[in-house]
Amino acid sequence: MPKAPYYFYSNLKEKKQRARSAKASTKLAEEIDSSDASGSHSKAVILTSKAVLKERMEPYVFIIHTGTNNPALEKTNKWEDGQMNFIINPHSNRASELIHVKELFPANREDFVTVSRHLPSSIGKPLQLRINVESNKLEIIKDALYIREITIRYKYKLYRFPVNDYLYPHNPLLGPSPDVKYGCPPYVISRHGKGTLLHEETDPECIAARVEELSLKRKNIQWADNKSEYALPTWIKETDYEKLPRFLKFKNARQKAFQMNLKRGANIVKWAVIENKIATYFGKNEPEHFLDFKEIMKFFLYQSEAHDYDRGMVNYVLDVMKSWKTDEEFVRQELNGINPSRIRKCESLPEYWSGMPDMPEHVMPGTNLEAEIEAGKVYIIDTQMLAGIGDGGMLMPLLTGFNLPMVVTLSDCLFYLDPSDKLRPVAIRIEYRNGDQPPSYWYPPAADAHEFTHPYLSWLLAKMYFKSSNMQVHAIVTHFVKAHAIPETFAIALHRCLPRQHPLHKLLLPHLSGVIPINVQGREFLTKPQGVMAALMSAGDRLWKLADTYLKEFRYEQLNFAKEFERKKISEIPGYHFADDAMEWWRTLEKFCEEFVSIHYRDDGTVKNDSELQNMVDEIHSIAFRKLPDNAGFPPKVSSVVELVEYCTTLIFSSSIWHTAVNFGQFYYLAFVPNSPCAMTRAPPAQTDEVTYDDIMLSLPVKEMARVQIDISYSLSLFSPVEKYYLSSAAEGKLDILTETTMVDDEELECLERLQARLKVLKKKIETRNATLDIPYDILLPSNTSLTVQT
């Protein structure tokens, strides 16, 4: 049997404290047993009636885990606003009377208190627990209490009742609370053991509790009307983060970190605006372009020191800067950077490449493009979805005082897997339709080309335009749409359709818990018309249109990484560490889901008969993606165990692995602005133009834009202070999935243990590979991979 933890801990230091407390609880229970046998009873025993006195009493030890994870705090504040009430085995013939517990419960940090009660032996095993809190204090004084778990020790066995929710103390003088208060349910009914399906429930009280829980959640979590002119997923109706149900909001530590980063970013933009206005007042007459790459490097270092950026992250950027101009580093970033999934095999040259002039002999010596396409040695990354997206620059006058354009180009790149098994960029096509320019084609310079000659500089500039275009696709499609907007729909449907006792709720919740609140915050600050993305990106002014363009072609099957890997025919690409690691993750999660599903779904009929599951799948199909053609191919129902395993794997991978891969490396590749400009400020050169060093400097973002790009990329790359990972790391103080799961059944926990065992093998494999690399790819290390979207 697995040694499942019966408590959650906020840091490794607290584990010993909790172990000591658990031993003390055991000793207390034994002393109570001894005193009970000798005829004496603890003063803590509450006898509620004379009839109870005649019945044999047995000790029950309650280990009450409360508080949210805030590792930065040394002092633990206590909740003093009322008391907690329990009923063991409610609405059964073995139900206990109401058990009152008034203690100073930990509130701002994860901790626990232990209390004991002598209760009638007729109660027996505690299999179900009803929990609520009450207080007669004034509403303006009271606050909700976050309860993680109640563990009951009875006859030397632990019975675990996960809660993971806030409860708001109702006023007992007013009677039972009938509804949600401040986004908190009036009570929670939790059950020990494995999750159960609705059609397998036999206890009327359990059925009623499921129905009531979902009724309350549906009232507080509603789909938006989605009246947008664009084909977008449907989001949550509530637009104000502060009005979200309490259990959907972030823990206090995470919210404080968000506000701090938001304030820092706002100050950077504010001071850019102030400096611009002062300069304009004193006769400033041109934007502040950088003079050379060295100045940009000094600018980055100055901002890093001024805002106290993490030194390890800064050093990684410095490593990237050493070789950022080379084609080898260009290829490495396209394969293993922040938009690593765009490359695919080029099986025929797209029609829009038909005007390409002859390729210089030195690019593909001894062969030609057509022959290598036929041999399957050519790959392509395109940004054609940017067609129809106008230039940006809405906020440019505010930042710089000038109407400086942020151009949008259609930039594509061809790659060639040469005979030495090395992937090289061989051609870049740039089309500036907004400027009515004909396409231009650019090629790598000869090996002996000098760094300040036209062949070298034109190729370097072409790579910048390509990376800027690809950056638009990354930020709005790869990241915003696929890692945020789509997973939000899964989370909404989960909360509305699956009660906490449902096994798939236990499986999926750790991976979907953060996406709704971060998206609501994002729509308040990042993606609104005057938001950060409009200030930062060429396509930011037309964010929704680009998302619409992509989503009209998007299909559910594209979220299956294994199928995409096969469809794109990319298995032969060397050094494609992202794809290697992501495929390992997909197979590992698929095996985990297969094992977990098999515990609860014995055959296809069990899947079909699970009405709560089918309701969730139907809401995703019919509501979340109703504005997309053919509902984006999302199934209206799941009919087999195989389909359910794929569905669960897809939801977890999209909400966890995918987001980690495309989010947390942004600072590494965006902080040095020329490496991946979020906008270019001049039209690209024509085919006949001679490119100079000054042309490059005048095409790059100006200083005011660079400030925003550096800081936003830093903020987005930070892990939450309460982040949970698949594997723990004692050295880094990281907590793992076992501290977040609501699974308490041995068989379910064994699935998690096997998952972690496989991930430890994967971790070792990645670390062994990375030891041979100049710049390691460790984004998808299991100890670096977050469980859910929080940034």
Side-chain angles (χ1 to χ4, degrees), residues 656-669:
S656 174
I657 314 306
W658 183 264
H659 178 262
T660 296
V662 304
N663 179 76
F664 290 110
Q666 292 187 79
F667 183 69
Y668 299 156
Y669 301 110

Side-chain angles (χ1 to χ4, degrees), residues 3 175 210 221 269 325 500 571-572 592 628 667 726 791:
K3 296 180 180 179
R210 294 171 86 111
I221 303 174
V269 175
K325 294 179 185 178
R500 70 180 72 242
S571 61
E572 297 178 359
F592 169 55
L628 276 61
F667 183 69
Y726 283 87
T791 52

Side-chain angles (χ1 to χ4, degrees), residues 73-126:
L73 296 177
E74 292 296 330
K75 181 181 177 182
T76 300
N77 295 333
K78 303 294 186 177
W79 187 83
E80 305 177 77
D81 294 348
Q83 67 182 21
M84 197 176 300
N85 301 326
F86 304 126
I87 298 177
I88 300 175
N89 302 328
H91 295 280
S92 74
N93 57 10
R94 298 185 296 108
S96 72
E97 294 192 6
L98 194 63
I99 303 165
H100 304 284
V101 178
K102 186 172 179 59
E103 293 282 341
L104 297 179
F105 298 109
N108 66 322
R109 292 190 68 184
E110 291 185 3
D111 212 334
F112 65 96
V113 297
T114 303
V115 298
S116 63
R117 296 289 185 266
H118 266 62
L119 302 173
S121 60
S122 59
I123 296 172
K125 296 178 180 179

Side-chain angles (χ1 to χ4, degrees), residues 503-620:
L504 296 184
H505 187 279
K506 296 174 181 288
L507 174 68
L508 298 173
L509 181 63
H511 311 288
L512 296 173
S513 59
V515 67
I516 294 177
I518 191 59
N519 284 6
V520 172
Q521 290 179 330
R523 289 192 284 272
E524 288 185 67
F525 301 107
L526 289 175
T527 60
K528 63 182 182 179
Q530 296 290 329
V532 172
M533 295 190 80
L536 183 62
M537 305 189 61
S538 297
D541 292 353
R542 293 164 180 82
L543 162 70
W544 305 120
K545 181 173 174 56
L546 177 53
D548 170 274
T549 299
Y550 168 75
L551 284 165
K552 284 178 178 176
E553 303 295 327
F554 166 76
R555 305 291 295 175
Y556 163 68
E557 292 80 8
Q558 293 173 13
L559 298 179
N560 184 317
F561 188 81
K563 291 181 179 178
E564 278 293 277
F565 188 86
E566 184 178 347
R567 182 181 69 84
K568 292 180 177 180
K569 301 180 179 179
I570 51 179
S571 61
E572 297 178 359
I573 297 178
Y576 200 175
H577 309 310
F578 157 76
D580 295 339
D581 295 353
M583 272 302 301
E584 292 277 6
W585 268 105
W586 180 270
R587 295 189 187 104
T588 301
L589 290 175
E590 187 176 46
K591 183 66 175 176
F592 169 55
C593 291
E594 179 184 315
E595 292 178 349
F596 185 88
V597 166
S598 68
I599 296 174
H600 300 280
Y601 298 88
R602 59 186 178 274
D603 53 34
D604 295 346
T606 313
V607 175
K608 294 175 184 177
N609 291 332
D610 184 355
S611 58
E612 292 169 332
L613 163 65
Q614 299 301 340
N615 288 340
M616 182 185 81
V617 174
D618 178 65
E619 286 205 0
I620 292 173

Side-chain angles (χ1 to χ4, degrees), residues 700-711:
L700 289 172
V702 294
K703 292 181 180 180
E704 295 88 346
M705 297 167 64
R707 286 192 187 97
V708 180
Q709 175 169 330
I710 294 170
D711 191 71

Side-chain angles (χ1 to χ4, degrees), residues 197-221:
L197 305 177
L198 177 60
H199 64 273
E200 296 174 342
E201 289 280 16
T202 57
D203 187 338
E205 172 64 16
C206 289
I207 296 174
R210 294 171 86 111
V211 172
E212 183 172 1
E213 177 188 343
L214 292 182
S215 175
L216 292 175
K217 285 185 175 179
R218 285 174 175 270
K219 186 181 298 184
N220 285 272
I221 303 174

